Each structure stands twice: as C-alpha cells, then as structure tokens.
Amino acid sequence: MEPVDNRAVVDLLGALAYAELTAFDRLAEDARLAPTLAGRAALARMAAAEIAHHSRLTDRIADLGIDPATAMAPFVSALDAFHNSTRPSTWLEGLVKAYVGDGLAADFYREIAAFLPPADRALVEEVLDDTGHSDFAVREVRAAVSANRKLVGRLSLWARRLVGEAMSESQAVIAEHDRLAELIVAGTGDLGGVAQLIDRITSAHTDRMKTLGLNP
Amino acid sequence: MEPVDNRAVVDLLGALAYAELTAFDRLAEDARLAPTLAGRAALARMAAAEIAHHSRLTDRIADLGIDPATAMAPFVSALDAFHNSTRPSTWLEGLVKAYVGDGLAADFYREIAAFLPPADRALVEEVLDDTGHSDFAVREVRAAVSANRKLVGRLSLWARRLVGEAMSESQAVIAEHDRLAELIVAGTGDLGGVAQLIDRITSAHTDRMKTLGLNP
C-alpha cells in the first residue's frame, strides 16, 4: 500500500470536524423537541460530546499546519444540505436521526480511517467511539414503537429517507474530492473492495434498524 | 445562623440546574449567528460546559432524594420568559448576553450559595467557575466596538435591557418562593445585608461592562 497523501488525511479530518460541528447544532436543536427535561438534557449531553470531538479534530488539523476552517470549508455545503433536507419534525424522528444517521456516518468515516496512518486512525476511532448516549435513543424509540405500532412504518420510512440523502450527499462529496476517492480505492484495493466496504456499512445499518424495532 | 432548610437548597440547585439547561440551549442557538466556524465552535464549547454543569447539579439533586425535573419545574417559566424576551438578533448581542447576563446570574447564585452547607456551596462555586471561554466573548466584543464606535451605545443599551429583564424575572421568582427569600434574608442578616449584596452584584456588573468597552 502506498503512503497516504497527507492532504487526504486533512480532507478526512476536515470533513469529520465539520460533521461533528453540525451534529452539535442539530442535536442541540432537536433537544428542544424533547417531551421531558431529562430527555432534553440527554440530547444536550450528546451534543456536548460532539463538540468535544470537534475540538480534538481541529487541534490535530492545526498540528498538521492547516487552518481548521480551511480544512472544513469544502464540506460545509454538502453537510448543511444533508441536515437541511432531513430536519426532524418530531422528537422520535430526531432520535432516529441521531442513532441511525450518526451510526451510518461513523461507520463510513471509520472505514476510510482504516487507510490512514496509525495516529490519525486512532484519533478518528476515538472521536467516533460511542459515548454510550445512543442507549438513550434506543430505549426511547423502542418504547415508543412498542406502544404505538403505527410508528414502525412511519419511522422506518424516515430512516430510509435519511440513508438516501446521506448516500447522495456523500457521493457528491467524494466525486468532487479526488484525493478522498483515491484514498478509498487505494485502501480497499479495487472495486471489489469498495463493494465489500459498502456491504459492511449496509449490514451494520440493518442491525441498527432492528435494534430500534424498525424495518430495515 | 440557623441551619438551612434542605428544601431551600433543592430550590437553589433546581433553579441553577434549569438555568444551565437553558444556557446550553441559548448558546447553541446563538452559535449559529457566528460569522466564522471558529466562533461557532467557541460558542458551542461554552454550551457544552453548561450542560456538564447541569449534569453535576441534577446528580446532586437526585442524591438529596428529589427528582431533578421536579426541582427544576418551578423555575421553568421565569427562565424561559427571560430568554424569550432577550433573544439576541446579532452575533455581538449574543456574546454580550453570554458574558454580561451569565456573569450577573453567576454572581447572584454565588451570593446565595454562600448561605448553603459547605458541600453544596462548593458544588455551586464549581459549576459557576468561569471555564475561560468568556475571554473569547471579551476579545470579540472589544475588537468590534473599537472598530465601530456606534456599537458602544447600541450594545450598552442591549446590556441594560438584559439587566432589567433579569431583575424583574428574579424578583418574580423570589417573590413566589418563600424559602429562597428566607434563605437570602437569613443569610444576609437583615435588609441592610440584602442592600450590600445588591451593591456587590451591581459593582461586578459595572466592571464587566467596562471590560467589554461598554457604558455601564
């Protein structure tokens, strides 16, 4: 395997840093949909964890001699577009997005991070580590869908929309960033490797849907 | 000094816990007004610090055998009313609110905490400790007002409105909560002591306004 282009590392860290910043925003916004003060605080804590990760990533980008804002800039419009097109209208939609959407994104970043030099790989794995807050989302959604079976279809459809939007935005990002595309192809070996990567991500997504009591 | 009514402790911790939760919300919302990604992240980190404090307080309330949501409930409407009537319309108004408003509230809680048992007093002082993030607000506001002198009058007026709203809401809260009122009067000794308390808070507020380059 060839040595990784340092700019590809910055691209990945920049994308992830902006993803964490938008995740903060969105979780903070969705917290206001919470039916209880405890739920509101739980989502606020998830948001706080994201911004701590954001800071770790921007510190590393700065260490690599790049201005973090510059590294994040190329990913702002795609990530904003994703969040604008998938704004939850209910508390449960917000939780499904937090669990299913973030899970999918985390798997994707983790797969690419496997091709990075060890220190950066370790950093990405650390910031993607589940902070245990997702247990809260699972508990709330499971309880809601078992109390009201009508929600299963509605929330499953919502999750499929999230995945569709996420796929189309990430394809657009990769298409515009040759270094990221090269990193993925070089890392997986060939197109067969890319297909396996997609299979792994899809299968983990299916598991998450089942965990929530939804139809994959 | 008579031993403190445990319910007054819970009242104070409950008020402060809800204050921290709303502070999170408001800082997270104002972060979106930031002109730069770095500014947005700075405000998001301030928000994250508030929710960490919130969790410390709700843990303590639970230790005292009270449901945190029950302890916070009496203060929800006054604090929500304060924030709804003082929604910043610009990034700088948001920073002034974060620095002047939170500073004033922190002084007030700290004064009352002086009358609490040592462990609770220590907890309140810990969660009110400046996390260093306010340096950011000071830097940004000072730079803006020295670049544009017209902002001095406008932001000074805004700060006076914040103080007016904060005073009227806190008077309403104390008037409705006999135990808090008794705690303050018993703690300060007499009405002269209350006047001195108000003097100290006012004087610290004046210093903060000067620090920002605004007219007290």
Side-chain angles (χ1 to χ4, degrees), chain A residues 11-47:
Chain A
D11 273 349
L12 184 68
L13 298 180
L16 189 48
Y18 190 67
E20 300 276 9
L21 189 55
T22 55
F24 168 85
D25 260 1
R26 185 249 308 159
L27 287 166
E29 200 176 326
D30 296 351
R32 265 167 255 153
L33 298 169
T36 63
L37 290 178
R40 192 168 140 194
L43 233 62
R45 275 192 295 271
M46 289 170 79

Coordinates of all heavy atoms in Angstrom, one line a residue, chain A residues 11-47:
Chain A
D11 N -8.3 16.2 4.4 CA -9.6 16.2 3.9 C -10.5 15.4 4.8 O -11.6 15.8 5.2 CB -9.6 15.5 2.5 CG -9.4 16.5 1.4 OD1 -9.4 17.7 1.6 OD2 -9.1 16.0 0.2
L12 N -10.1 14.2 5.2 CA -11.0 13.3 6.0 C -11.2 14.0 7.4 O -12.3 14.0 7.9 CB -10.4 11.9 6.2 CG -11.3 11.0 7.0 CD1 -12.6 10.7 6.2 CD2 -10.6 9.7 7.4
L13 N -10.1 14.5 8.0 CA -10.3 15.1 9.3 C -11.2 16.4 9.2 O -12.0 16.7 10.1 CB -8.9 15.5 9.9 CG -8.0 14.3 10.2 CD1 -6.7 14.8 10.8 CD2 -8.6 13.3 11.1
G14 N -11.0 17.1 8.1 CA -11.8 18.3 7.9 C -13.3 18.0 7.8 O -14.1 18.6 8.4
A15 N -13.6 17.0 7.0 CA -15.0 16.5 6.8 C -15.6 16.1 8.1 O -16.7 16.5 8.5 CB -15.0 15.4 5.8
L16 N -14.8 15.3 8.8 CA -15.3 14.8 10.1 C -15.5 15.9 11.1 O -16.5 16.0 11.9 CB -14.3 13.7 10.6 CG -14.7 12.9 11.8 CD1 -16.1 12.4 11.7 CD2 -13.7 11.7 12.0
A17 N -14.5 16.9 11.2 CA -14.6 18.0 12.1 C -15.9 18.8 11.8 O -16.6 19.2 12.7 CB -13.4 18.9 12.0
Y18 N -16.2 19.1 10.5 CA -17.4 19.8 10.2 C -18.6 19.0 10.5 O -19.6 19.5 11.0 CB -17.4 20.4 8.8 CG -18.5 21.4 8.6 CD1 -18.5 22.6 9.3 CD2 -19.7 21.1 7.9 CE1 -19.6 23.5 9.3 CE2 -20.7 22.0 7.8 CZ -20.7 23.2 8.5 OH -21.7 24.1 8.4
A19 N -18.5 17.7 10.3 CA -19.7 16.8 10.6 C -20.0 16.9 12.1 O -21.2 16.9 12.5 CB -19.4 15.4 10.2
E20 N -19.0 16.9 12.9 CA -19.2 17.0 14.4 C -19.8 18.3 14.8 O -20.6 18.4 15.7 CB -17.9 16.8 15.2 CG -17.2 15.5 14.9 CD -17.7 14.3 15.8 OE1 -18.7 14.5 16.5 OE2 -17.1 13.2 15.8
L21 N -19.4 19.4 14.1 CA -19.9 20.7 14.4 C -21.4 20.8 14.1 O -22.2 21.3 14.8 CB -19.1 21.8 13.7 CG -19.4 23.3 14.0 CD1 -19.2 23.6 15.5 CD2 -18.4 24.2 13.3
T22 N -21.7 20.3 12.9 CA -23.2 20.3 12.5 C -24.0 19.3 13.4 O -25.1 19.5 13.7 CB -23.4 19.9 11.0 OG1 -22.8 18.6 10.8 CG2 -22.8 20.9 10.1
A23 N -23.3 18.2 13.8 CA -24.0 17.3 14.7 C -24.4 18.0 16.0 O -25.5 17.8 16.5 CB -23.2 16.0 14.9
F24 N -23.4 18.8 16.5 CA -23.7 19.5 17.7 C -25.0 20.4 17.5 O -25.9 20.3 18.3 CB -22.5 20.4 18.1 CG -22.9 21.4 19.1 CD1 -22.8 21.1 20.5 CD2 -23.3 22.7 18.8 CE1 -23.2 22.0 21.4 CE2 -23.7 23.6 19.7 CZ -23.6 23.3 21.1
D25 N -24.9 21.2 16.4 CA -26.1 22.1 16.1 C -27.4 21.4 16.1 O -28.4 21.8 16.6 CB -25.8 22.6 14.7 CG -25.3 24.0 14.7 OD1 -25.0 24.5 15.8 OD2 -25.0 24.5 13.6
R26 N -27.4 20.3 15.4 CA -28.6 19.6 15.1 C -29.1 18.9 16.4 O -30.3 19.0 16.7 CB -28.3 18.5 14.0 CG -29.5 17.8 13.6 CD -29.4 16.4 14.0 NE -28.1 15.9 13.6 CZ -27.6 14.8 14.1 NH1 -28.2 14.2 15.2 NH2 -26.4 14.4 13.7
L27 N -28.2 18.3 17.2 CA -28.7 17.7 18.4 C -29.2 18.7 19.4 O -30.2 18.5 20.1 CB -27.5 16.9 19.1 CG -27.2 15.6 18.4 CD1 -25.8 15.1 18.8 CD2 -28.3 14.5 18.6
A28 N -28.5 19.9 19.4 CA -28.9 21.0 20.3 C -30.3 21.5 19.9 O -31.2 21.8 20.7 CB -27.9 22.1 20.2
E29 N -30.5 21.5 18.6 CA -31.9 22.0 18.1 C -32.9 20.9 18.4 O -34.0 21.3 18.9 CB -31.7 22.2 16.6 CG -32.8 23.1 16.0 CD -32.6 23.3 14.5 OE1 -31.4 23.4 14.0 OE2 -33.6 23.4 13.8
D30 N -32.6 19.7 18.2 CA -33.6 18.6 18.4 C -33.9 18.4 19.9 O -35.0 18.0 20.2 CB -33.1 17.3 17.8 CG -33.0 17.4 16.3 OD1 -33.4 18.4 15.7 OD2 -32.4 16.4 15.7
A31 N -33.0 18.8 20.7 CA -33.2 18.7 22.2 C -34.4 19.5 22.6 O -35.1 19.1 23.5 CB -32.0 19.2 22.9
R32 N -34.7 20.5 21.9 CA -35.9 21.4 22.2 C -37.2 20.6 21.9 O -38.3 21.1 22.4 CB -35.8 22.7 21.5 CG -35.2 23.8 22.4 CD -34.8 25.0 21.6 NE -33.4 25.0 21.4 CZ -32.7 25.6 20.4 NH1 -33.4 26.2 19.5 NH2 -31.4 25.6 20.3
L33 N -37.1 19.6 21.1 CA -38.4 18.8 20.8 C -38.7 17.8 21.9 O -39.7 17.1 21.9 CB -38.2 18.0 19.5 CG -38.0 18.8 18.2 CD1 -37.6 17.9 17.1 CD2 -39.3 19.6 17.8
A34 N -37.7 17.7 22.9 CA -37.9 16.6 23.9 C -39.2 16.9 24.8 O -39.5 18.0 25.1 CB -36.7 16.7 24.8
P35 N -39.9 15.8 25.0 CA -41.1 15.9 25.8 C -40.8 16.1 27.3 O -41.7 16.4 28.1 CB -41.8 14.5 25.6 CG -40.7 13.6 25.2 CD -39.6 14.4 24.6
T36 N -39.6 15.8 27.8 CA -39.2 15.9 29.2 C -37.9 16.6 29.4 O -37.1 16.7 28.4 CB -39.1 14.5 29.9 OG1 -37.9 13.9 29.2 CG2 -40.3 13.6 29.7
L37 N -37.7 17.2 30.5 CA -36.5 17.9 30.8 C -35.3 16.9 30.8 O -34.2 17.2 30.4 CB -36.5 18.6 32.2 CG -37.4 19.8 32.3 CD1 -37.4 20.4 33.7 CD2 -37.0 20.9 31.3
A38 N -35.5 15.6 31.2 CA -34.5 14.6 31.2 C -34.1 14.3 29.8 O -32.9 14.1 29.5 CB -34.9 13.4 32.0
G39 N -35.1 14.2 28.9 CA -34.8 13.9 27.5 C -34.0 15.1 26.9 O -33.0 14.8 26.1
R40 N -34.4 16.3 27.2 CA -33.7 17.4 26.7 C -32.3 17.5 27.1 O -31.4 17.7 26.3 CB -34.5 18.7 27.2 CG -34.1 20.0 26.5 CD -35.1 21.0 27.0 NE -34.5 22.3 27.2 CZ -35.1 23.3 27.8 NH1 -36.3 23.2 28.3 NH2 -34.5 24.4 28.0
A41 N -32.0 17.2 28.4 CA -30.6 17.1 28.9 C -29.8 16.0 28.2 O -28.7 16.2 27.9 CB -30.6 17.0 30.4
A42 N -30.5 14.9 28.0 CA -29.8 13.7 27.4 C -29.3 14.1 26.0 O -28.1 13.8 25.6 CB -30.7 12.5 27.3
L43 N -30.2 14.7 25.2 CA -29.7 15.1 23.9 C -28.7 16.2 23.9 O -27.7 16.3 23.1 CB -30.9 15.6 23.0 CG -31.0 14.8 21.6 CD1 -31.1 13.3 21.9 CD2 -32.0 15.3 20.7
A44 N -28.8 17.1 24.9 CA -27.8 18.2 25.0 C -26.4 17.6 25.4 O -25.4 18.1 24.9 CB -28.2 19.2 26.1
R45 N -26.4 16.5 26.2 CA -25.2 15.9 26.5 C -24.6 15.2 25.3 O -23.3 15.2 25.1 CB -25.4 14.8 27.6 CG -25.3 15.5 29.0 CD -25.2 14.4 30.1 NE -26.4 13.6 30.2 CZ -27.4 13.9 30.9 NH1 -27.5 15.0 31.7 NH2 -28.5 13.1 30.9
M46 N -25.4 14.6 24.4 CA -24.9 14.0 23.2 C -24.3 15.1 22.3 O -23.2 15.0 21.7 CB -26.0 13.4 22.4 CG -26.6 12.1 23.0 SD -28.1 11.5 22.2 CE -27.5 10.7 20.7
A47 N -24.9 16.3 22.3 CA -24.4 17.4 21.5 C -23.0 17.9 22.1 O -22.1 18.1 21.3 CB -25.3 18.6 21.6

